[in-house]
Amino acid sequence: PPSPLQSPGSEYEEIEFPPPPPEDSAPEVPPPEDNEITIELIKTRTSLGISISGGRDSRTQPKVKIERVFPAGAAEEDGRLKPGMEIVSVDGESLQSVTHAQAVDAIRRAYATKSRTRMVLVVRGST
């Protein structure tokens, strides 16, 4: 007589599992959006020296972008900030869906904070 653990006519049942992931696959980490880069800027000049455009209140450009980099400012001296780049955050404060005035204020505050000699901007390249 068959043992109580086996059903008559089958010795074992095949259970399907999803295939294992390929060995070379990296853990699920979302890629940085559109070549996002972090720039640590040393505050060596009296001003950052950029003008920005856009903001949540702009119908044409909701993203905060660098419009111009002025001569003799910290941004020009550093050389990495370019017109057309989107500013994602400044010193950890997100500039996503803020108004133009809020973005200007956040950037001014970050640059004016004398307790820190550097400011950190996360930007997306102009592609």
Side-chain angles (χ1 to χ4, degrees), residues 31-87:
E33 278 192 66
D34 300 334
N35 60 347
E36 212 169 80
I37 51 173
T38 300
I39 294 176
E40 197 170 297
L41 207 66
I42 301 167
K43 303 176 191 177
T44 52
R45 303 287 181 168
T46 53
S47 79
L48 177 57
I50 63 169
S51 70
I52 61 167
S53 61
R56 186 181 69 209
D57 47 352
S58 165
R59 278 197 298 258
T60 54
Q61 184 181 296
K63 296 176 178 176
V64 176
K65 293 194 171 186
I66 297 172
E67 194 65 30
R68 290 185 56 199
V69 176
F70 296 104
E76 188 209 41
E77 184 179 67
D78 178 79
R80 292 176 289 176
L81 293 173
K82 306 276 182 224
M85 286 180 155
E86 177 190 352
I87 304 175

